Amino acid sequence: MTIGIGLLGLGTVGAGVAEILATPEGRHPLVAELELRRVAVRDLQRPRTIRVPAELLSSDPAAVVDDPAVDIVVEVMGGLEPARSLILRAIAAGKPVVTANKAVIARHGEEISAAAAAAGVYVLLEAAVGGGIPIIEPLKQSLGANRIQRVSGIINGTTNYILSRMAAEGAEYAAVLADAQRLGYAEADPAADVQGADAADKIAILTGLAYGGSVPREAIPAEGIDQLDARDVTYADQLGFVVKLLAVSQRIETGTNGDPQLLDVRVHPTLLPRSHPLAGVNGVFNAILVEGEPVGQVMFYGPGAGAGPTASAVVADILNIAGIRQATGARAVDGEPPGIDPLLAAGSWRQCRLVDGARTTHRNYVRLRTTDQPGVIGRIGTCFGEAGVSIQSIVQFEADSEAAEIVVITHEVLESRFRQALDAIAALPEVQRVAACLRTL
Ligand code: NAP
Ligand code: HSE
């Protein structure tokens, strides 16, 4: 029995999906059962990289969702609206949805999940995080027995490409970004990538899966790489670290007696020791490190974006749904729902809340621009010491005739103490400015 696919979007990912559906040879036999029946685009006149019969194209995505020939709706158009409304429309019509849209899931995931559970339909989103890397299903299923302690990852390919080139070439951020845009590795509007919002969307989704309860997307602190100075990448290298845009979701307290779990979820440029499992992830590649009890550390690595890898994840979700439809076809014909994803049905099973940032502990990298005179390092050390901040290393780098650059790496310290020390240091007459402040693992 052929299954009708309605594609909302025929851009990078949509064209990748259409390509797989058009070339089933050598793939799973179920791919040959999938038939592209309608495709929504914004501009019907736009030249396409993939040939799709003109009669399948429509500029009305709601008509694609409503078409009785469409059994599964694949949302790869992006953005919040009309994507959210179209997903809900498909669910209301009893049609399973596959989406790659992390922005909509990170902000409206609970609403969508509740609607899907109530209607008894699947909403699968493997492609929304890590492109071609299977991470959603492993967190939902394969690692389900674990107490997850931390999920950390490099989950934005654009910024990892820029950071890798900054490290390899000592190049400035703006120059590498311009080159990445020219080569097609960064979008014309790279704001969501370089400011950390894309990674924050993705870590919000992983948090919900890892800990069984969502946190408000807007409350996740996200710092990007757009303010990063090439000299910090170079100094980090000289000190044995690499700089990566890390997304971290960590359980601070398990929350007993019905209290919510306390989580620390954030995105920021981070110094990783070269020996760290994520330190060798370069270019547009992504990797996610999951730490759980009893499994220990499990790392997922691969292409985090692009037409082929992302379509690979989208079509895998379609095949999951198609396989279940085939297995439960008799029940579906009887008018019963084909059965919903048991973990989706469970929805949120724990409450979560975000920790107050001042109560978190971190190692820190600080670069100070100071006058070059006797006693400056001593006074900086005193400020740290009086705030109870232990220094791991303090190094003076060559700057210019007007200033010295002093880089400090602290031991792990309570954020409030670190901020207290920084305020005192910034007030020292010899300190011209706190030029950079980065987290360190
Ligand atoms: P894209 O290249 O910009 O394609 C978007 C497609 O949706 C285009 O075909 C566009 O039509 C169509 N579209 C947009 N708004 C529409 C509307 N209101 N009505 C009808 N059609 C509309 O985007 P993409 O890179 O494929 O990304 C799609 C989704 O996948 C996004 O949620 C993105 O975050 C996610 N994703 C992308 C990647 C990746 O590597 N690109 C990886 C993982 C996840 P026109 O062609 O006529 O403009
Ligand atoms: N813009 C994203 C990235 C790809 O650079 O990783 C889509 O998730």
Side-chain angles (χ1 to χ4, degrees), residues 8-14 40-43 46 48 59 61 75-79 82 100-102 127-128 131 304-307 310:
L8 306 181
L10 192 61
T12 304
V13 181
V41 293
R42 196 164 23 201
D43 178 358
R46 188 191 294 275
R48 304 283 160 189
S59 58
E75 187 278 300
V76 286
M77 62 199 294
N101 191 333
K102 64 257 165 178
T310 312

Side-chain angles (χ1 to χ4, degrees), residues 102 128 155-159 187 193 198 202 286 304-305:
K102 64 257 165 178
I155 47 179
N156 183 268
T158 305
T159 47
E187 293 188 28
D193 292 316
D198 176 81
K202 292 167 179 170
N286 283 196

Side-chain angles (χ1 to χ4, degrees), residues 155-223:
I155 47 179
N156 183 268
T158 305
T159 47
N160 203 44
Y161 173 83
I162 295 172
L163 290 174
S164 301
R165 283 197 50 192
M166 285 175 76
E169 301 163 22
E172 287 292 347
Y173 162 76
V176 180
L177 171 61
D179 208 29
Q181 286 173 309
R182 192 179 56 76
L183 293 166
Y185 289 126
E187 293 188 28
D189 178 5
D193 292 316
V194 301
Q195 293 171 6
D198 176 81
D201 287 350
K202 292 167 179 170
I203 199 69
I205 295 172
L206 296 183
T207 296
L209 294 167
Y211 304 109
S214 62
V215 293
R217 165 62 185 87
E218 318 74 55
I220 296 176
E223 184 190 335

